[in-house]
Amino acid sequence: MSGVENQAHKVEQLTTFYVGHELFGIEVMKVQEVTGNPHVVPVPLAPEFVRGLVNLRGQIATAVGLSELFAQKKNENKKEEMSVVCKSEGNLISLVVDSIGDVVEVDRHKFEKTPDTVPQTLRRFVKGVYKMDGVLLSVLDIETIFKELSPISEASGRN
Amino acid sequence: MSSFSQEEIEEFKVEAQELMDMSEKSLLALDQGGEFKTCFDSIFRGLHNLKGGAGMMEFLELQAHTHELETIFMSFKEKTSIPKNYINFFLRGIDAARSILEGGKVEFDFTVKDEALSEAKAEEVAPVKEEVKKEETKVSLVTPEPVEALVEKASSGYSIPDEVMAEFLAEVEEIIESISQKLQKIENKNYDRELVDNLYRDVHSLKGSAYLFSFHKMGDIAHAMESSLEGVRNGTHLPNERLLDCLFKSLRVLEALAGKMKKKECDEAFAKVVPVVVKALAFAAEKLEKVEVPVTEEPALTEAMVNELADLIEEGEALKEETPKIEEAVMSIPAQTSVVKEKETEGLSSIRVPVALLDNLMTLMGEMVLVRNQVLQYSNRTEDLEFSSMSKRLNVVTSEIQEEMMKTRMQPIGNVLEKFNRVVRDLSHDLKKNINLVIQGAETELDKSLLEAVKDPLTHIVRNSCDHGIELPEVRKQCGKNDTGTIIIKSYHEGGQVVIEITDDGKGLHKDQLIKKAIEKGIINQAQAAGLTDKEAYDLIFAPGFSTAAQITNVSGRGVGMDVVRTNIEKIGGTVELSGKAGAGTSIKIKIPLTLAIVPALIVKCGKGTFAIPQVKIEELVRVDPESENKIEMLHGAPVFRLRGDILPLVDLNNVLGLQDGTESYKDKVSNIAILNAETFSFGVIVDEIQDTVDIVVKPLNRLLKSLQVYAGATILGDGSISLIFDVVGISKLAQLGQAKDKAAKVEEDKQRKLNDMQELLLISLNSPTKHALALNYVQRLEEFEEKEIEYSGDQRAIRYRGNILPLVSVNEQLGYELNRERKETVAVVVIERAGKLFGVEVNEILDTFSTSIELKEPIKKHHGIFGNINTDEELIVVIDPYEVISRAFDLEDMDPKFDVKEAAKSIALGDKSGTILLVEDTVYFRKAIKAVLEKRGYTVVLAQDGQEALEILNKENGIDLIVSDIEMPRMNGFQMAKEIRKHPAYAKIPMLAVSSKADKDYRREGMNSGFDMYLEKLKPEVLLAAISELWKEERKAA
């Protein structure tokens, strides 16, 4: 986060994409790459939002369907889906989105907290909202998504 | 400390640890009677380098500490041994250094050390001084001698350019190192001609270089060394200790000299030392000659001798002056290069690399393999020959790189095991026990991460063995054991796993004590305790909160030991097994996979996905098709499979993983079952397709997916597709298995059934409407011979069989059945061994084997060769006694002792004694038969399945009056058992009777030697009974 912040205190760069009809964004520095629709190997018994595993040049990433995660309905036109790959603490996740938008520069002044009316299921993944021209851009909290994938109950080490 | 980066400090710490390890190892070696010189040098090197490093890295406290240690240590420089209390002191010193290194504040007392130390010190230091004095006198003797070019040398040293000087010194150091290594080899009596030649060359080139640069002192010493080696090199003399000692000392002087030169100092003290060294060398060489002519014994270095020496030295000096120096310098060049080369390879033999780098390399390697696969696939489709050959080459090289990559993570297990020398040494000292640690297979390699993981569990086990296992020397003596206990750690590869066995010869495990303890601790209750098998009782030791120590010592006994051991080992996919004998020691067997990163796995298909099952978890694979005898059956909606008489629970992966809905009928299709081992029980999984076994690289899953408990990880297969790796235990939990009977219970059940039930019979047909059978235990082999191959000697039929003549006997004839009128083309023969010889029993046809639990009944009519009858539901089967058939046919000389059977019967009838007999026999058939015979005569019979169990019974039960035992048995055979029993004072005189089908002379002899009173061949009831009564008679007489 620091890298982006200190660049110009006022401006933030976001990679944007659509899930359903909503526009979302992630800080550019958190995104490793954007790929097409890779072959996903399903993981039986996993929660529905885990689409499965993806082979990213020898590394295994977990594909997370954002529409399922946000408790929206299942996506129908899967063919056009894209993946946004992010990395945290050695874990790779591949966020499956409907389509990719531009990389935008946003003014921090236009940032606002997520309105309370947004459903709780979605709100916990959203840091806040940027008021863009004609559209609202929700900033994804990628850390909570990672947390979602590492339940604390399993946070075990050696005894 | 701030002037160094964290990285540098870390690196220093690693190195410091290594140095301390080295010193510690050598101290221990010294303690074990290792060669003083070598050990001393290595300890010194360790301490010295540690001091140097610490100083450089500004670890001032550590530097001061090691300096102090080093100083004390140096007082032993001229000695030949270091007393034990000093070794302890140095070990503690190293420990303290470790704590200091880790930032701990350590108050280490250099003066008090040990109560015994001060006196020891006085005692030790005195001779040192004396020796020094001696040295001085020697020096004074030689100083007057004219030694040329002492001062001149210094000046010439300065005139040499710095780079050249540095190069020269580096070379000198290399040569010294190389010489020292070779000397060590010679010292260990591990040398050959070539080595001596090389050594000679080294010394020679050293001399050459030294003179070339006008370093005469150095040259003189080298020259003296060379001369002293002359005889050895010519093969006329053998190197002796004194010579080696002198050579080593000379090397040290050379080292010191080189050090001085480096600092551009010229220490005049050397002027005195050099002649002494030269003289000593010459003297040693001289002595060598005398040793060769083995007349004189080693006289001490007396004044007279020194005088004598002076002359010798003079001679030597004279000789040296004559030596043409230039020639030497020229000669030295080729030798030098070879030395340098050798040194190079040694210097580069290891390099430190961060593990993370290796991990990255591994990952990249995986990617490379995938690319390779793609290239190969592509090349298969093209016609381009050049490309195809290139891709093949790529294939080969990639595989090789992959193989080598795997090796980079492997480390010899000795790295961990050798640390135990110290552990055991310290413990045996603390516990006042004598314990000897033997390490075998230290070179066995293991993945580094696994090595780390087994370190703690192993330490626990070794400490336990020292503390609880090995007894105090007095106790051991009382038990008739050597007062020094031995712990053996053995490691080796077996079936893709690494096995580590820790065996001690201590007091072993006492089942009753274990159970008592477990009840006290509330781990089990009384009722549970009653039904425990030995193995289950041993397993109690792994239960959390269990500790066998009567007292909690600071060594072990905190009750956290063994359960932690088991959890840790199981965490890395290993298993722990414990076995032991009361009074004879404990053995713990740890099996761990070679590497965590790469495991062999079976690839299976289920639904649309491919999954991997770790090979170690797979017990067997079964394919069931509509024609198979056993099918998948539904039991209350759950699929089960009958596997060799047991019901095996099945898990249909398609259902459990939700890949397919509804239960399916397994009736009309082919099913594949993989039978898996979930630690304490087995179950089968039904999969759609079984593919291949491949080595997979395990990649971790994120926690969410791991928490599903079904997957242990994921892997990328050769074609780039991802496959999930099953966690076998997790699947069994998912399917709610595990409450079912576990393995131990099953073993017990089997055992019970064996004891009571099954006997295996071989069904044969004869010229009789009734089916006949003989006990399978008798049968060696089943053969079918061509009739035309059969030869006759008189009317005795025989056949050549495995280089011998196999006499044939027809059962039809012996049992009085009709003989075959026409000879068939082939003859079915049952081969039976009797008294060390093979016999062929001819039957009409070999039908089948079957097992039955039905009791053998006495024959309706007594007939020779018939043992009895078995009434099954359908028919009556006549059981033949093949031994009797054979003895009757061949009038065999009965090897069993002759008894008056009638007499015996009478005495039994008179109520001779109705004692308790322990019957030790592994085969069901004989166990039952003999038991029946004995019980009929009113004896009480206690059964044991093998020697081991027999011993346990003897330990537990009183009132065994006599033992009847088989010889060939699993776990502990009859001979071993007899020996063990005879050792025990209470059973030294108990009558023991061996009954075996192996009854040739050798066996009989060994039987009697092991302590049996009588040795009978199986199985003639009258003889057995007579023998028993005979034995009792003797016993009574003796009493």
Side-chain angles (χ1 to χ4, degrees), chain B residues 328-590:
Chain B
E328 280 162 19
V330 174
M331 272 174 67
S332 71
I333 293 165
Q336 245 167 264
T337 49
S338 78
V339 168
V340 170
K341 232 182 255 164
E342 195 179 320
K343 182 64 200 170
E344 247 165 27
T345 48
E346 277 166 18
L348 291 175
S349 65
S350 75
I351 176 173
R352 217 175 283 140
V353 174
V355 176
L357 176 62
L358 290 183
D359 289 345
N360 279 345
L361 277 173
M362 283 285 276
T363 316
L364 289 171
M365 188 63 233
E367 280 188 46
M368 185 165 165
V369 169
L370 294 182
V371 175
R372 187 252 336 245
N373 293 346
Q374 281 160 10
V375 170
L376 281 183
Q377 271 171 11
Y378 180 74
S379 85
N380 285 341
R381 278 183 268 131
T382 58
E383 303 279 301
D384 192 337
L385 274 181
E386 201 180 342
F387 179 66
S388 139
S389 81
M390 262 155 47
S391 62
K392 281 207 180 96
R393 177 125 184 76
L394 175 72
N395 182 17
V396 172
V397 175
T398 317
S399 307
E400 272 178 33
I401 297 178
Q402 194 179 12
E403 220 165 88
E404 296 299 309
M405 262 319 293
M406 304 284 163
K407 285 188 203 155
T408 57
R409 292 178 57 92
M410 304 298 257
Q411 286 202 323
I413 196 166
N415 290 358
V416 164
L417 295 189
E418 263 144 31
K419 295 221 165 36
F420 293 140
N421 277 321
R422 171 79 193 275
V423 173
V424 170
R425 187 191 173 281
D426 287 359
L427 282 180
S428 56
H429 189 260
D430 291 352
L431 297 165
K432 311 241 179 326
K433 294 176 180 177
N434 300 334
I435 306 174
N436 183 21
L437 178 71
V438 180
I439 294 173
Q440 292 168 353
E443 69 288 345
T444 312
E445 287 198 323
L446 193 60
D447 191 282
K448 187 176 161 52
S449 55
L450 288 175
L451 205 58
E452 287 297 317
V454 294
K455 198 166 133 190
D456 288 348
L458 281 178
T459 316
H460 261 302
I461 294 173
V462 171
R463 292 175 75 92
N464 265 340
S465 285
C466 291
D467 196 16
H468 309 318
I470 306 283
E471 311 92 325
L472 290 167
E474 309 86 67
V475 181
R476 289 184 66 86
K477 265 188 206 147
Q478 275 165 22
C479 301
K481 294 186 198 173
N482 189 327
D483 60 352
T484 302
T486 308
I487 297 175
I488 302 171
I489 306 182
K490 196 163 123 190
S491 78
Y492 50 90
H493 289 283
E494 191 183 78
Q497 287 185 306
V498 174
V499 184
I500 307 170
E501 280 178 32
I502 302 101
T503 313
D504 68 59
D505 62 351
K507 62 175 173 247
L509 294 169
H510 290 268
K511 186 182 168 185
D512 297 342
Q513 278 180 19
L514 290 174
I515 292 176
K516 206 174 129 221
K517 197 104 209 167
I519 295 172
E520 269 173 34
K521 303 255 169 188
I523 295 164
I524 51 169
N525 58 34
Q526 290 284 359
Q528 284 170 316
L532 284 183
T533 61
D534 289 1
K535 204 173 157 4
E536 285 165 334
Y538 290 161
D539 274 350
L540 287 175
I541 216 169
F542 292 112
F546 188 92
S547 170
T548 44
Q551 262 182 317
I552 289 177
T553 65
N554 68 345
V555 177
S556 54
R558 288 176 298 267
V560 289
M562 294 308 275
D563 65 313
V564 175
V565 167
R566 174 171 274 186
T567 9
N568 282 351
I569 297 289
E570 280 173 358
K571 211 179 265 171
I572 54 169
T575 56
V576 189
E577 256 171 60
L578 191 138
S579 60
K581 250 188 285 186
T586 316
S587 175
I588 294 173
K589 199 174 189 178
I590 298 176

Side-chain angles (χ1 to χ4, degrees), chain B residues 148-161 164-165 168-169 172 205-222 257 261 265-266 325-326 328-329:
Chain B
E148 27 95 77
L150 271 182
V151 190
E152 151 232 313
K153 176 191 320 156
S155 57
S156 64
Y158 289 121
S159 67
I160 298 167
V164 180
M165 182 74 184
F168 165 71
L169 286 173
V172 166
S205 50
L206 179 65
K207 180 179 79 173
S209 316
Y211 281 139
L212 190 70
F213 286 89
S214 299
F215 290 114
H216 289 266
K217 275 189 224 161
M218 194 175 267
D220 289 350
I221 295 176
L257 258 175
M261 286 180 200
E265 293 168 18
C266 186
K325 289 170 194 171
I326 303 156
E328 280 162 19

Side-chain angles (χ1 to χ4, degrees), chain B residues 166-222:
Chain B
E167 222 165 85
F168 165 71
L169 286 173
E171 188 190 313
V172 166
E173 268 168 25
E174 277 169 12
I175 297 178
I176 290 175
E177 179 61 32
S178 157
I179 293 175
S180 146
Q181 277 171 11
K182 291 190 176 93
L183 286 177
Q184 271 167 32
K185 276 189 189 149
I186 292 177
E187 192 154 47
N188 298 331
K189 306 268 179 261
N190 175 22
Y191 65 98
D192 50 18
R193 240 265 44 135
E194 205 187 320
L195 184 84
V196 176
D197 277 349
N198 285 336
L199 172 66
Y200 191 80
R201 250 202 316 276
D202 281 352
V203 177
H204 189 84
S205 50
L206 179 65
K207 180 179 79 173
S209 316
Y211 281 139
L212 190 70
F213 286 89
S214 299
F215 290 114
H216 289 266
K217 275 189 224 161
M218 194 175 267
D220 289 350
I221 295 176

Side-chain angles (χ1 to χ4, degrees), chain B residues 500-740:
Chain B
I500 307 170
E501 280 178 32
I502 302 101
T503 313
D504 68 59
D505 62 351
K507 62 175 173 247
L509 294 169
H510 290 268
K511 186 182 168 185
D512 297 342
Q513 278 180 19
L514 290 174
I515 292 176
K516 206 174 129 221
K517 197 104 209 167
I519 295 172
E520 269 173 34
K521 303 255 169 188
I523 295 164
I524 51 169
N525 58 34
Q526 290 284 359
Q528 284 170 316
L532 284 183
T533 61
D534 289 1
K535 204 173 157 4
E536 285 165 334
Y538 290 161
D539 274 350
L540 287 175
I541 216 169
F542 292 112
F546 188 92
S547 170
T548 44
Q551 262 182 317
I552 289 177
T553 65
N554 68 345
V555 177
S556 54
R558 288 176 298 267
V560 289
M562 294 308 275
D563 65 313
V564 175
V565 167
R566 174 171 274 186
T567 9
N568 282 351
I569 297 289
E570 280 173 358
K571 211 179 265 171
I572 54 169
T575 56
V576 189
E577 256 171 60
L578 191 138
S579 60
K581 250 188 285 186
T586 316
S587 175
I588 294 173
K589 199 174 189 178
I590 298 176
K591 283 189 190 169
I592 37 179
L594 263 183
T595 157
L596 272 187
I598 295 146
V599 290
L602 183 79
I603 305 298
V604 298
K605 273 201 121 155
C606 234
K608 279 179 196 155
T610 46
F611 299 90
I613 306 173
Q615 193 74 43
V616 284
K617 296 289 185 189
I618 295 177
E619 282 182 351
E620 59 184 300
L621 300 174
V622 179
R623 185 187 146 95
V624 184
D625 60 35
E627 273 91 60
S628 315
E629 200 181 316
N630 288 331
K631 296 190 181 57
I632 296 174
E633 295 165 79
M634 298 303 286
L635 186 68
H636 307 298
V640 294
F641 182 72
R642 283 193 229 187
L643 181 75
R644 290 185 287 277
D646 287 328
I647 289 179
L648 185 79
L650 294 184
V651 175
D652 190 330
L653 280 183
N654 275 321
N655 286 337
V656 171
L657 299 182
L659 298 171
Q660 231 167 57
D661 293 330
T663 39
E664 216 184 320
S665 158
Y666 302 103
K667 241 174 215 164
D668 307 315
K669 65 167 206 171
V670 177
S671 306
N672 292 299
I673 304 173
I675 296 167
L676 308 180
N677 173 359
E679 280 159 35
T680 52
F681 61 96
S682 301
F683 68 101
V685 292
I686 305 172
V687 297
D688 290 347
E689 201 181 316
I690 287 173
Q691 292 187 334
D692 219 350
T693 305
V694 289
D695 283 346
I696 57 169
V697 179
V698 180
K699 310 240 178 193
L701 287 176
N702 61 47
R703 290 216 198 100
L704 175 74
L705 298 183
K706 236 182 181 162
S707 69
L708 296 174
Q709 296 201 332
V710 187
Y711 310 107
T715 188
I716 299 177
L717 298 178
D719 59 359
S721 66
I722 293 179
S723 144
L724 286 156
I725 305 165
F726 281 134
D727 179 335
V728 170
V729 177
I731 288 181
S732 71
K733 278 188 193 144
L734 188 72
Q736 294 178 332
L737 290 170
Q739 292 96 329

